[in-house]
Amino acid sequence: MAFRITKAVIPAAGLGTRFLPATKAMPKEMLPVVDKPAIQYVVEEAVAAGLNDVLMITGRNKNALENHFDRMTELEATLEEKGDLDRLEKVEYSNDLADMHYVRQGDPRGLGHAVLRARMHVGREPFAVLLGDDLIDERDVLLSRMIEEQNNRNASVIALMEVDPSMTHMYGIATVEMTGTPDVVKITGLVEKPATGTSPSNYAIIGRYVLQPDVFDVLEHTEPGKGGEIQLTDALQSMAQNNIAGGVYGVVFRGRRYDTGDRLDYIKAIVQLAVERPDLGPELKPWLKQFSANLD
Ligand code: G1P
């Protein structure tokens, strides 16, 4: 039976150690990408794909996340008094963007453990998982394509991207077989962050998943893997190998993806997105050209 998928799960309990000290008292998901917190891009992407019910898996220090998706009465009143309606609109936009829910992870024991915390909220329906470190350009289609394939195949679907072989150690990597559909592959195996030189392919998992609820039963029995953490990749490997709930398929994404997971990629993401903004790009572009011409 095909379900209309409505629920998105966004793990946001990581400690953000790569961005210390910025993330000492603030969640890394609130770091601005140009002028919006990274997490807002992700919630907007979920909503654009029809997922209005968003469950965030949070941890300590994450109050700013809840506040961002709620009213900020004093600020709104001040902007209204000043007649600054443009900024007021920006502030209010995230208030009612989605139907937001929160659950805490407690002990952060890995991505698989975070997803397992969504079990009560999700129930017995397929659902999406979106990781905040990966931003997908809103002009390129990914999540709705994955939802479509989840419906067609009644299986779990993950997003894949071909990466340079030197980068495979940073991702979950899939072994795949072609299907009759050009952008869809069948997953025959998955391995989390293989050591350099041992990767079975260059198909990397990027942080979008549309999963059968059976993943919760599998996660419950998944032993800690890479880094001593309960890995979502390991649970999906078991589902692929044992053909659980229809097995696992991959949608191969060839669009624009921005990584905000570490400092260098974060800086690149900001520059890439700012260059394309009509309010910033026209001034930033010539400045960037001049700046880079003077670099040695
Ligand atoms: C997680 C997943 C990994 C995936 C990656 C995508 O790793 O465990 O399989 O390839 O997200 O961004 P993380 O980057 O959170 O360590």
Side-chain angles (χ1 to χ4, degrees):
M1 189 174 110
F3 281 92
R4 199 175 79 80
I5 302 181
T6 58
K7 290 178 182 165
V9 172
I10 305 182
L15 296 175
T17 44
R18 282 183 278 193
F19 286 92
L20 282 170
T23 49
K24 183 179 172 190
M26 181 186 82
K28 72 166 176 182
E29 292 79 9
M30 287 302 295
L31 288 170
V33 176
V34 189
D35 50 10
K36 258 194 303 194
I39 193 74
Q40 188 174 328
Y41 289 85
V42 182
V43 174
E44 285 176 5
E45 182 191 336
V47 171
L51 313 178
N52 285 332
D53 179 324
V54 173
L55 175 70
M56 233 174 246
I57 318 292
T58 70
R60 276 172 285 275
N61 245 346
K62 301 287 178 168
N63 294 345
L65 287 171
E66 295 193 28
N67 291 339
H68 184 73
F69 294 100
D70 195 0
R71 299 194 69 89
M72 197 55 90
T73 331
E74 257 179 48
L75 175 62
E76 286 168 38
T78 310
L79 291 170
E80 206 163 351
E81 256 167 49
K82 283 190 182 167
D84 194 343
L85 300 183
D86 189 36
R87 292 211 173 86
L88 180 64
E89 196 191 340
K90 284 185 182 146
V91 166
E92 287 183 335
Y93 184 69
S94 55
N95 295 356
D96 303 312
L97 189 55
D99 186 4
M100 302 296 299
H101 305 268
Y102 303 89
V103 61
R104 284 202 179 209
Q105 192 182 357
D107 241 5
R109 288 168 50 207
L111 179 59
H113 180 247
V115 171
L116 192 52
R117 298 287 293 131
R119 183 179 216 163
M120 285 300 282
H121 183 84
V122 166
R124 299 296 306 163
E125 303 163 24
F127 65 104
V129 176
L130 290 84
L131 305 188
D133 286 350
D134 296 283
L135 301 187
I136 303 297
D137 197 298
E138 60 183 359
R139 294 162 294 184
D140 299 325
V141 179
L142 175 59
L143 196 52
S144 46
R145 179 79 190 97
M146 295 171 71
I147 292 171
E148 190 178 29
E149 281 305 317
Q150 196 284 328
N151 253 294
N152 291 345
R153 295 173 195 269
N154 196 20
S156 295
V157 177
I158 63 179
L160 298 176
M161 207 165 175
E162 290 192 70
V163 299
D164 190 88
S166 64
M167 306 293 275
T168 48
H169 67 284
M170 296 167 69
Y171 295 95
I173 300 291
T175 321
V176 305
E177 274 170 10
M178 298 302 144
T179 65
T181 317
D183 63 336
V184 180
V185 291
K186 170 125 180 95
I187 309 284
T188 54
L190 286 166
V191 52
E192 180 68 5
K193 303 195 177 109
T196 310
T198 68
S199 186
S201 83
N202 68 334
Y203 282 102
I205 306 175
I206 53 172
R208 300 293 179 271
Y209 309 77
V210 181
L211 302 175
Q212 297 278 52
D214 310 70
V215 72
F216 295 123
D217 297 332
V218 179
L219 278 170
E220 210 173 34
H221 299 109
T222 301
E223 297 291 329
K226 193 95 191 172
E229 297 190 332
I230 298 172
Q231 297 291 350
L232 182 58
T233 303
D234 293 345
L236 293 171
Q237 151 70 4
S238 165
M239 290 178 83
Q241 208 160 48
N242 303 307
N243 214 31
I244 295 171
V248 184
Y249 288 83
V251 163
V252 181
F253 182 62
R254 297 193 172 88
R256 287 157 283 195
R257 161 185 173 261
Y258 312 97
D259 189 346
T260 61
D262 70 33
R263 292 173 305 168
L264 187 60
D265 289 328
Y266 171 73
I267 293 166
K268 289 181 193 167
I270 292 177
V271 174
Q272 279 173 288
L273 286 164
V275 157
E276 303 212 10
R277 284 263 300 250
D279 55 341
L280 299 168
E283 280 189 57
L284 181 60
K285 251 188 261 181
W287 179 84
L288 261 178
K289 278 188 191 153
Q290 200 186 10
F291 180 74
S292 58
N294 291 332
L295 290 176
D296 43 38

